[in-house]
Amino acid sequence: MPAALSLLQQRHSVPSRQLGEPAPDEATLQMLLEAAIRVPDHGKLVPFRLIRLEGTAKLRFGERLAAIAIRNSPEMSEAKQEKERLRYTFAPLVMVVVARLHADSKVPEIEQKLCAGNVAYNILLGAHALGYGGQWLTGWAAYDREAAAILGLAEHEHVVGFVHLGTPQIEVPDRDRPALADLLGTWTP
């Protein structure tokens, strides 16, 4: 099997809690991200951007999100509050992939969002190819406008995902995958 297809066959997510140091160093991250942004882009709109969360910024971001969550659900248990605070602290690096939607474009918004989603997936694939692990997560914060404001997003920008990156700390078993025969059909006129 060609190496590129073997890479696709072996790719899997590593839970963010199981991602530790090291994350890609600066030169490796630059190389990874330059490759990740090479996505199909109808209209050459570049409908995406990236935000890096690392170090203490991950905890500060989680604390601000926890404050929103607690305000919205004052009955939230202490355990859930702590989970909200620490959600972004496990992996050494979190890349926020942002869709930048161009409402005035003839390119449908769904295509623009898919373009940004391809960036997130390319980060996962590239990280795997380089020997790192990753997990693409969303959660409520990806869809919350107050969370978007914390990140400095404009009204036309939306979080596509939080891609957690680091070195796998455990061997992650692959999950069951669907059978291609159950998914593939052939259209005939």
Side-chain angles (χ1 to χ4, degrees), residues 94-169:
V94 179
M95 296 301 305
V96 185
V97 181
V98 177
R100 301 170 62 200
L101 304 179
H102 301 262
D104 59 342
S105 173
K106 67 178 172 85
V107 178
E109 281 190 5
I110 185 68
E111 290 186 32
Q112 296 178 53
K113 288 179 182 177
L114 288 169
C115 179
N118 281 324
V119 173
Y121 189 58
N122 276 355
I123 293 171
L124 287 177
L125 283 176
H128 178 72
L130 293 168
Y132 296 98
Q135 186 176 30
W136 175 353
L137 297 171
T138 51
W140 68 268
Y143 308 104
D144 185 90
R145 290 317 296 172
E146 285 186 79
I150 292 169
L151 289 167
L153 303 190
E155 189 61 35
H156 69 285
E157 295 181 314
H158 306 276
V159 172
V160 170
F162 300 96
V163 182
H164 300 245
L165 297 170
T167 299
Q169 302 298 296

